[in-house]
């Protein structure tokens, strides 16, 4: 076990790019789809860990719009896994609500229905909000928001001059959640792959080589420790931020 975490500075919102499933499976001589199965199993573990730590929002990247360009058998296998994944006890036992962000219309109808029923069945839980980004593209999310706003301007509901950052935020699929404090990417790549581009403007980034199915409690603690060792300045100077902390205490 790693050092104790500072319980007063647990990130409110953790976003994760769950990468490395395919390589995890291939290292074991298995088909890539076994990696996705192991990855979904691990999502259950990490959801429980985050909920126990007091994280309020966990938003995980499970499938990008670009991922539809993978071989059809892999896409089909993934959709099938989503249908069978995550026992509902995970939500019932941990007071966790389930949500989806992404372009749902591109998903098979059976997957859309399953995700919708999971959302409805867990809507009353007010512990942690667990969101899965499925058929997600941050650029598409921004295009969608732009269209919604343009229509309002066209209908005379608002004027173009009134558009500000808050207007855009309110029209994103993620409008109901705060921005991520910590973004974790597993699997060794150091890129954002079209994930939460607007929302991560001031998130702390943490990249690790561990493949997603192996990302366990110790790995999660390391990521949070790294987060806790940083000073978030939001454009201000180090001295200004230190002063603000003193005044709060
Ligand atoms: C992430 O793992 C899951 C999805 C993108 C669906 P990958 O499938 O990208 O695994 P690697 O990166 O090929 O190892
Ligand atoms: C990003 O992983 C998307 C998910 C983890 C769901 P990818 O493996 O698709 O990302 P790239 O293509 O390597 O950037
Ligand atoms: Mg990958």
């Amino acid at each position: 076990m790693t050092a104790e975490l500072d319980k007063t500075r647990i990130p409110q919102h953790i976003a994760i790019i769950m990468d490395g499933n395919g390589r995890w499976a291939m290292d074991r001589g298995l088909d890539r789809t076994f990696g996705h199965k192991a990855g979904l199993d691990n999502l259950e573990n990490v959801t429980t860990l985050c909920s126990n730590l007091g994280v309020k929002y966990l938003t995980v990247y499970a499938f990008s719009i670009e991922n539809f360009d993978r071989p059809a058998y892999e896409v089909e296998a993934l959709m099938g896994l989503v249908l069978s994944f995550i026992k509902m006890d995970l939500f019932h036992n941990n007071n966790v609500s389930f949500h989806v962000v992404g372009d749902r219309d591109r998903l098979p109808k059976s997957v859309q229905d399953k995700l919708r029923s999971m959302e409805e069945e867990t809507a009353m839980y007010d512990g942690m909000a667990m969101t899965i980004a499925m058929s997600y593209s941050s650029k598409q999310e921004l295009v969608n928001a732009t269209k919604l706003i343009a229509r309002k301007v066209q209908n005379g509901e608002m004027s173009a001059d009134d558009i500000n950052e808050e207007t855009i935020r309110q029209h994103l699929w993620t409008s109901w959640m705060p921005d991520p404090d910590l973004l974790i990417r597993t699997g060794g790549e150091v890129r954002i792959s079209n994930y939460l581009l607007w929302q991560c403007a001031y998130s702390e980034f943490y990249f690790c080589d561990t493949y997603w199915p192996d990302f366990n409690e110790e790995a999660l603690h390391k990521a949070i420790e790294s987060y806790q060792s940083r000073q978030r300045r939001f454009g201000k100077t180090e001295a200004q931020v230190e002063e603000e902390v003193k005044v709060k205490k």
Side-chain angles (χ1 to χ4, degrees):
M1 198 69 249
T2 47
E4 276 292 298
L5 295 172
D6 178 349
K7 290 281 167 11
T8 66
R9 289 184 59 215
I10 298 293
Q12 175 184 218
H13 184 174
I14 298 182
I16 306 182
I17 301 176
M18 307 185 292
D19 197 18
N21 292 347
R23 282 164 287 162
W24 180 92
M26 288 192 308
D27 276 2
R28 287 162 178 73
L30 301 168
D31 185 79
R32 292 174 55 83
T33 53
F34 285 90
H36 297 313
K37 169 81 180 75
L40 284 168
D41 288 344
N42 195 43
L43 177 55
E44 293 195 32
N45 300 336
V46 172
T47 300
T48 309
L49 290 169
C50 285
S51 161
N52 289 343
L53 281 171
V55 172
K56 285 288 169 202
Y57 300 85
L58 173 67
T59 306
V60 299
Y61 205 3
F63 193 83
S64 68
I65 286 185
E66 289 80 10
N67 289 149
F68 279 114
D69 291 335
R70 291 191 177 192
Y73 93 92
E74 183 170 337
V75 175
E76 273 167 35
L78 253 158
M79 295 299 154
L81 282 169
V82 169
L83 284 180
S84 61
F85 103 109
I86 304 193
K87 291 112 218 145
M88 292 311 287
D89 279 356
L90 175 71
F91 301 98
H92 299 312
N93 296 342
N94 294 289
N95 192 27
V96 170
S97 57
F98 174 82
H99 311 263
V100 178
V101 290
D103 185 352
R104 295 169 191 248
D105 293 345
R106 295 187 192 220
L107 293 167
K109 179 78 172 56
S110 54
V111 174
Q112 288 184 34
D113 292 346
K114 161 87 177 181
L115 297 176
R116 185 69 69 195
S117 80
M118 286 172 71
E119 286 178 315
E120 285 168 3
E121 205 182 316
T122 62
M124 67 288 205
Y125 294 130
D126 61 0
M128 186 176 80
M130 193 273 224
T131 303
I132 139 167
M134 275 296 286
S135 182
Y136 179 84
S137 147
S138 191
K139 286 190 173 181
Q140 278 305 316
E141 181 181 33
L142 287 162
V143 168
N144 184 61
T146 308
K147 281 187 191 162
L148 294 173
I149 297 166
R151 265 187 222 123
K152 287 188 181 170
V153 173
Q154 215 169 23
N155 298 340
E157 281 174 59
M158 68 184 297
S159 94
D161 288 335
D162 292 338
I163 299 171
N164 55 27
E165 290 184 14
E166 181 55 19
T167 320
I168 294 176
R169 197 195 65 72
Q170 283 171 0
H171 290 83
L172 298 174
W173 292 320
T174 56
S175 60
W176 53 274
M177 57 170 87
D179 287 344
D181 301 296
L182 170 63
L183 172 78
I184 298 170
R185 182 173 186 143
T186 65
E189 312 297 350
V190 185
R191 55 178 174 251
I192 196 160
S193 301
N194 208 358
Y195 193 44
L196 304 175
L197 302 178
W198 175 278
Q199 298 86 337
C200 283
Y202 261 110
S203 305
E204 296 297 328
F205 285 19
Y206 180 86
F207 297 94
C208 64
D209 290 336
T210 312
Y211 293 146
W212 171 251
D214 291 331
F215 189 81
N216 58 14
E217 182 170 18
E218 192 182 340
L220 177 68
H221 279 223
K222 265 197 201 154
I224 298 176
E225 259 175 52
S226 168
Y227 168 84
Q228 293 186 336
S229 72
R230 306 181 196 181
Q231 186 191 47
R232 302 182 76 185
R233 288 194 278 274
F234 299 97
K236 295 184 181 170
T237 67
E238 195 178 336
Q240 279 178 302
V241 177
E242 275 166 12
E243 190 52 39
E244 280 174 5
V245 172
K246 257 193 240 154
V247 170
K248 258 196 210 151
K249 277 186 184 163

